[in-house]
Amino acid sequence: MPPLISSLFHLPNGQTLTVSPSFGGFSFRPTDLNVHKSALPPGWSIIINTSHRDADEDPANASSRPASRPHSGAASMASIPEQDETLKDQNHVHAHKFTHPTLRRDNMFISSIVNPATEDFVPARSPTRQVALMLWASLYWYFHQPEPAPQTPTAASAKTPISGQPKGDWRINIKREGIFRGRALLSKLERMGIVCSEDTTVGLDGDQRSGQGWNEMFMSRRNFWQLDARIYLFTLEPADGGQHSPFVSSSPFPSRPVSPSNDGTASPRPLLNQAEANNIAQSQGLWAPSSPGPFTSGSHIPTYYPPPPLQYAFSNGLRHPIRPKPPRQGETFYTRYVPSFSQFLTFRVVSLSRKAPAQTMPISSQALTQSLEQHPNVESLPGISNLSLLNISAAPNDLEYIHKWMNIARVYHFWGEQGPMSKQEQFLKSGLMSRHSFPVIGCWDGAPFGYFEIYWVKEDILGRHLDDGGHPFDRGIHALVGEDRFRGPTRVKAWLSSLIHYCFLADNRTQSVVLEPRVDNKK
């Protein structure tokens, strides 16, 4: 295949981009830099390369036998079947210049962005969504390149003819470099469905800056073509408020606002009459200002994000949907005020930090007053009475709570995790590294009261005992209440219904939530 050269490609909303080779990758820029109300910046650059292992053949000769070697890029090693784990890290990985697409060895990230002048456009109200737009446009260009051979040879199929070797989806690895090194940017893009990962663990590193668990992101062609372009292609608001445009609060509309003159100044764009405006709007199809539906918004950003398309993976020989990444260590993912107790109920992911986690969660005014009286050095948000950032160094950390609870007779009778703190530490690490569940701490007004696990039934041992294996999106809950003062049927009704509520909120495809007490558990 000849080297890629400058080319034009057209986005679904009618905008045209010029793609040119640049150092280490490609630069993107709109063909018409005066496009009115364009969400696209004047330009951005991507770095794209192809990974190569020592044992692989020379990438320069790869085009002659595209399916005769494993397509296993550095950022997609999680996709190698479990029986081929010995192939991982077997050879050093090199990055080579991108010349043509490969099935799973190409790596991409956005390296730089040129933002438009502030006198022309109001800055994007959501920079993350603008990054998602640029990533979507870059992927749109990439997946229009010639398709690579679909074979993914493994050690077991090394002597199998190419036509009989297993096939895989075409995917590109999204590296946590450049723009994507932002602390929470990749996690936001994952929630928006524009990137995904087969590593669905919480991870052991509680520092969000480390990027653990976010280094093996990817997007497959199968998944990409199921993403509705209207979710990602939106507009920037013009600085003049659109007073010179017949489309003040519309979806993307590529009309030219001004024309340059010989003296370097811009001449006013002639106003269109209503008939001309309607004709042009009709040519925009789904992106027309008058197009109804959940994608059109006067705020110039998308308002509708459906669940991402389904992709599948194998765990212990079981095929199941690739799960979304769970919340991070210490992250509060559910909160609710319970009037019967006049307290806030919150759930957060377990943290391995040796310090008590800073609690960014609402608590009742009564609890806040008591905390301030007991801990005069507590940091709180000024002017907000029921939202605190409690940072009490004397409070036990999560491991100390779990150690205490697991050594209570009524608890270890069912859980069997009694013993020294090192045993509970290993227990929590195993939970944080699970691909189908994550460990949770429940709190009443910021005070931890119990330990929970939220899991996917399909991959759990429970799924093996169900006749149909369980619905692909059913969830399950393991629970223990360690603090006696928070026990009782009324409390159980509140926290159990809240956990079930979260499971249905987390994925609207969930149909059932399972609780599986042991047969001798009379509670």
Side-chain angles (χ1 to χ4, degrees):
M1 175 181 173
L4 297 175
I5 58 176
S6 298
S7 60
L8 295 177
F9 78 101
H10 302 272
L11 295 178
N13 64 346
Q15 291 178 311
T16 303
L17 296 178
T18 299
V19 184
S20 305
S22 61
F23 181 77
F26 295 86
S27 61
F28 293 71
R29 61 180 178 85
T31 302
D32 187 348
L33 293 181
N34 288 321
V35 169
H36 183 56
K37 301 177 70 172
S38 170
L40 297 172
W44 72 91
S45 297
I46 66 169
I47 300 296
I48 182 170
N49 56 53
T50 300
S51 58
H52 169 66
R53 291 182 172 273
D54 290 334
D56 294 339
E57 64 177 276
D58 187 348
N61 302 324
S63 59
S64 61
R65 296 196 309 275
S68 62
R69 49 175 166 69
H71 297 278
S72 51
S76 63
M77 295 306 296
S79 64
I80 297 178
E82 293 181 8
Q83 63 267 28
D84 295 324
E85 288 291 330
T86 56
L87 297 179
K88 295 185 181 183
D89 302 324
Q90 196 173 41
N91 303 285
H92 186 68
V93 178
H94 305 275
H96 295 271
K97 180 181 179 180
F98 173 82
T99 57
H100 63 276
T102 61
L103 197 66
R104 296 193 173 186
R105 299 189 296 114
D106 295 335
N107 311 295
M108 174 196 292
F109 64 90
I110 298 177
S111 58
S112 62
I113 302 174
V114 179
N115 287 313
T118 55
E119 60 267 20
D120 296 328
F121 294 97
V122 176
R125 301 190 184 187
S126 175
T128 299
R129 298 189 185 189
Q130 191 179 22
V131 171
L133 181 152
M134 290 181 283
L135 178 58
W136 188 93
S138 302
L139 292 171
Y140 186 79
W141 164 82
Y142 174 79
F143 285 121
H144 273 91
Q145 303 305 310
E147 179 182 2
Q151 285 78 16
T152 57
T154 63
S157 65
K159 298 182 179 180
T160 304
I162 291 180
S163 60
Q165 291 179 354
K167 299 180 180 180
D169 288 337
W170 181 13
R171 64 170 62 170
I172 185 170
N173 306 304
I174 308 300
K175 305 292 287 184
R176 188 178 179 271
E177 298 181 27
I179 300 300
F180 298 142
R181 289 189 64 85
R183 184 173 61 177
L185 180 56
L186 278 178
S187 62
K188 293 179 180 180
L189 295 176
E190 191 260 350
R191 300 291 172 87
M192 295 167 67
I194 193 66
V195 297
C196 53
S197 173
E198 291 184 0
D199 179 5
T200 54
T201 65
V202 175
L204 300 181
D205 195 334
D207 188 352
Q208 296 184 11
R209 295 170 296 181
S210 71
Q212 183 188 40
W214 299 95
N215 294 319
E216 296 186 352
M217 311 304 292
F218 69 91
M219 173 52 63
S220 68
R221 182 181 63 169
R222 180 193 299 270
N223 193 57
F224 180 78
W225 290 125
Q226 296 181 68
L227 299 174
D228 195 311
R230 293 171 294 177
I231 299 174
Y232 304 100
L233 298 180
F234 61 99
T235 66
L236 289 182
E237 184 177 352
D240 63 1
Q243 60 182 347
H244 297 298
S245 170
F247 311 106
V248 178
S249 59
S250 62
S251 290
F253 181 75
S255 60
R256 189 181 181 93
V258 294
S259 298
S261 60
N262 294 331
D263 60 2
T265 61
S267 57
R269 176 179 57 85
L271 295 177
L272 303 177
N273 59 44
Q274 192 60 44
E276 293 174 323
N278 290 339
N279 290 335
I280 297 176
Q282 290 176 4
S283 69
Q284 301 303 306
L286 295 175
W287 276 269
S290 58
S291 177
F295 302 99
T296 302
S297 169
S299 65
H300 296 265
I301 57 178
T303 58
Y304 173 63
Y305 285 93
L310 284 179
Q311 298 187 92
Y312 289 86
F314 284 87
S315 297
N316 299 319
L318 178 70
R319 183 175 183 265
H320 60 85
I322 292 181
R323 306 302 184 184
K325 296 281 287 186
R328 297 175 181 268
Q329 280 193 45
E331 180 180 341
T332 298
F333 59 87
Y334 184 90
T335 181
R336 170 188 173 190
Y337 182 75
V338 184
S340 56
F341 298 108
S342 299
Q343 291 179 319
F344 280 94
L345 172 65
T346 55
F347 293 99
R348 59 175 173 81
V349 180
V350 165
S351 172
L352 288 179
S353 173
R354 295 300 180 179
K355 298 180 180 179
Q359 301 176 11
T360 56
M361 61 182 69
I363 64 175
S364 65
S365 300
Q366 180 180 359
L368 180 60
T369 301
Q370 294 176 353
S371 296
L372 293 175
E373 292 175 352
Q374 298 173 6
H375 307 277
N377 60 338
V378 166
E379 300 176 5
S380 61
L381 290 176
I384 303 180
S385 61
N386 70 332
L387 183 63
S388 67
L389 293 174
L390 299 182
N391 189 10
I392 305 172
S393 58
N397 59 38
D398 289 350
L399 178 57
E400 291 169 336
Y401 273 113
I402 300 299
H403 173 67
K404 169 188 172 183
W405 296 340
M406 289 297 183
N407 282 282
I408 299 174
R410 63 176 174 81
V411 174
Y412 68 67
H413 174 73
F414 296 104
W415 286 76
E417 294 294 337
Q418 70 276 17
M421 191 175 294
S422 59
K423 182 174 183 179
Q424 287 87 48
E425 182 177 18
Q426 187 58 44
F427 170 78
L428 290 181
K429 287 182 177 179
S430 298
L432 291 169
M433 291 304 295
S434 172
R435 294 177 62 178
H436 80 280
S437 67
F438 63 94
V440 174
I441 294 289
C443 301
W444 284 105
D445 266 346
F449 74 92
Y451 172 82
F452 307 88
E453 293 174 347
I454 301 176
Y455 62 90
W456 298 99
V457 172
K458 187 74 175 179
E459 299 99 281
D460 191 75
I461 189 174
L462 175 64
R464 306 174 195 172
H465 297 280
L466 300 177
D467 293 338
D468 59 353
H471 185 272
F473 294 95
D474 283 353
R475 303 298 285 265
I477 298 170
H478 297 146
L480 76 86
V481 177
E483 299 296 323
D484 288 339
R485 63 192 177 108
F486 293 119
R487 298 177 67 193
T490 309
R491 294 272 185 178
V492 170
K493 184 178 180 180
W495 61 252
L496 182 57
S497 62
S498 298
L499 283 173
I500 294 173
H501 183 213
Y502 165 75
C503 290
F504 286 120
L505 288 176
D507 197 308
N508 57 19
R509 294 166 291 191
T510 297
Q511 298 184 13
S512 301
V513 180
V514 180
L515 189 66
E516 34 159 349
R518 211 166 76 171
V519 66
D520 58 343
N521 190 338
K522 298 180 179 179
K523 291 292 184 180

